[in-house]
Amino acid sequence: KEIHDTEKDYVHKLYSIIDNYKRRMEKSRIQVRCKDLKLGNTKFCEHGKFAFTCSKTSTTIRPVASKEEIKKIFANIEVITKVNEQLLHALQEALEKLNEKNAVEIGLEDIIACYAPAFVKTMPFFKMYSVYASQYSSALEYFAECKDRKEFRDFLAKLESKKNVKSLSNLLIEPVSRLCKYPLLFENLNKASHAYATALAKNTLATGKGNMDKLEKMLDDLDLIYDTVSEVAESVNIKVGEHHDLDKLP
């Protein structure tokens, strides 16, 4: 249940990034001071002053962040959200079926059967996390550049002042943090599952060879899931680690 509950909370955070920040940035339009506009070779603003010295508000309306900046800041967050939304949906369906059983009758093999197929189905798409991690460094750089602009800081402060809305800085690291937790979650499940299978194997007559074969297939799936998420998590850690190492350079 921990895997499902933490996955549900994580997907909620992903949607918070998209709905509370990305969508609002895409739709937001603001007016800025003439001196903050990039007027190219134009010397004078609409107020008849030198554009780079005029502190009056221009009638020109522009987005709070450009399409390129938004694309760089949020990377492939929407793709990741779809992947984990499908994973969560599969977990919820499996749990609903599991809850139809009598609690006393539920064994560890039922729990494995609940989680393994959902992850096996979505695992091929976990490589999208490597894409997110590879762009994470530049995302933070673009985000920092945007925060140099007063109108962007004001826009961000207004969004972050809303109740139950986490700061964008904290949310952007969530995909990296979540991926790195999967190996630990499945390591614990793997240990319990293999110990359970070993105990059952000592009494194959009571268990039945068919049931043991089925359980061994489930264990193979769990091993595959653990190896895959560990490999992707290691790749992501390396990419994020490179970013932090670069920050430490003189």
Side-chain angles (χ1 to χ4, degrees):
K1 196 170 184 299
E2 180 188 1
I3 294 176
H4 168 267
D5 291 347
T6 54
E7 188 68 25
K8 185 177 180 180
D9 180 61
Y10 171 55
V11 171
H12 175 75
K13 290 175 181 175
L14 291 178
Y15 270 106
S16 179
I17 296 173
I18 294 172
D19 295 335
N20 292 327
Y21 290 101
K22 187 173 185 289
R23 293 280 184 269
R24 292 173 189 260
M25 281 188 193
E26 290 170 339
K27 294 178 181 179
S28 179
R29 296 294 181 270
I30 57 171
Q31 288 180 291
V32 298
R33 298 173 301 181
C34 294
K35 65 180 183 180
D36 293 326
L37 288 172
K38 294 180 180 178
L39 299 178
N41 295 325
T42 305
K43 293 183 177 180
F44 297 96
C45 68
E46 63 201 68
H47 303 108
K49 298 182 177 181
F50 285 111
F52 63 90
T53 63
C54 183
S55 297
K56 291 184 178 180
T57 301
S58 171
T59 55
T60 301
I61 297 176
R62 74 176 189 186
V64 70
S66 68
K67 289 182 180 180
E68 182 65 17
E69 288 171 335
I70 293 173
K71 182 179 178 181
K72 291 289 186 181
I73 291 172
F74 296 100
N76 64 335
I77 193 69
E78 296 203 38
V79 175
I80 288 175
T81 301
K82 288 180 180 179
V83 171
N84 286 85
E85 184 181 33
Q86 290 176 1
L87 173 59
L88 178 61
H89 180 69
L91 290 174
Q92 287 175 333
E93 283 190 336
L95 275 177
E96 287 172 5
K97 291 179 180 179
L98 188 64
N99 289 334
E100 292 174 0
K101 290 188 175 185
N102 189 314
V104 180
E105 300 174 350
I106 297 175
L108 186 59
E109 66 266 32
D110 295 307
I111 297 174
I112 299 171
C114 177
Y115 290 109
F119 274 88
V120 168
K121 185 178 179 180
T122 54
M123 267 195 317
F125 303 101
F126 269 53
K127 60 185 178 182
M128 293 295 101
Y129 277 89
S130 292
V131 176
Y132 185 89
S134 67
Q135 298 175 6
Y136 181 69
S137 174
S138 61
L140 294 185
E141 290 173 2
Y142 271 88
F143 185 46
E145 288 177 8
C146 287
K147 287 194 292 185
D148 285 339
R149 303 195 298 264
K150 182 181 182 302
E151 65 271 16
F152 186 88
R153 291 197 304 273
D154 292 344
F155 172 82
L156 203 62
K158 185 177 180 180
L159 294 182
E160 293 178 346
S161 66
K162 295 180 181 294
K163 188 177 181 181
N164 298 325
V165 175
K166 290 184 66 175
S167 72
L168 184 54
S169 296
N170 290 333
L171 286 171
L172 288 175
I173 192 64
E174 284 293 339
V176 176
S177 299
R178 178 58 181 173
L179 184 67
C180 293
K181 289 175 183 176
Y182 284 130
L184 179 60
L185 290 170
F186 276 96
E187 182 181 18
N188 295 335
L189 183 57
N190 263 14
K191 286 180 180 178
S193 300
H194 281 281
Y196 176 74
T198 301
L200 283 183
K202 293 177 181 179
N203 191 11
T204 53
L205 289 177
T207 307
K209 187 177 184 305
N211 288 334
M212 281 303 301
D213 289 343
K214 184 179 179 181
L215 181 57
E216 286 176 3
K217 172 62 171 64
M218 292 180 182
L219 292 177
D220 288 341
D221 286 343
L222 279 182
D223 289 337
L224 177 62
I225 293 168
Y226 176 73
D227 290 342
T228 301
V229 295
S230 296
E231 182 180 341
V232 178
E234 183 179 2
S235 171
V236 166
N237 265 326
I238 290 172
K239 287 181 172 63
V240 175
E242 287 173 351
H243 163 69
H244 290 302
D245 290 340
L246 287 173
D247 280 348
K248 295 176 183 178
L249 290 176

